[in-house]
Amino acid sequence: MELKLDTVAHESIVTRLAPNPKDGVPYLFVLAATGEVLARQETGSLELGPRHDPAKVLAFLEAQAGA
């Protein structure tokens, strides 16, 4: 699955969630049911070459499972 976010069309979302919207996206966010941001992760450290490393992404998500 791939999710693309048009940062211009969704500027309010990026502004609310991203720690520094000027740094751009992609970022991963873990949200509570209320919309509160429980965790943020820049994705550069999750990359392996030109793509995201599934094992690193899964490790991040598993670490947040109890959040």
Side-chain angles (χ1 to χ4, degrees), residues 28 46 53-65:
L28 293 178
L46 303 177
D53 181 344
K56 291 179 181 180
V57 174
L58 182 60
F60 166 74
L61 295 172
E62 287 176 338
Q64 305 308 318

Side-chain angles (χ1 to χ4, degrees), residues 19-20 29 34 63:
N20 185 354
F29 303 97
T34 61

Side-chain angles (χ1 to χ4, degrees), residues 4-20:
K4 293 185 178 183
L5 176 67
D6 179 342
T7 57
V8 173
H10 301 285
E11 186 174 352
S12 65
I13 294 171
V14 174
T15 300
R16 181 173 68 88
L17 297 178
N20 185 354

Side-chain angles (χ1 to χ4, degrees), residues 5 22 48:
L5 176 67
K22 292 181 181 181
L48 180 62

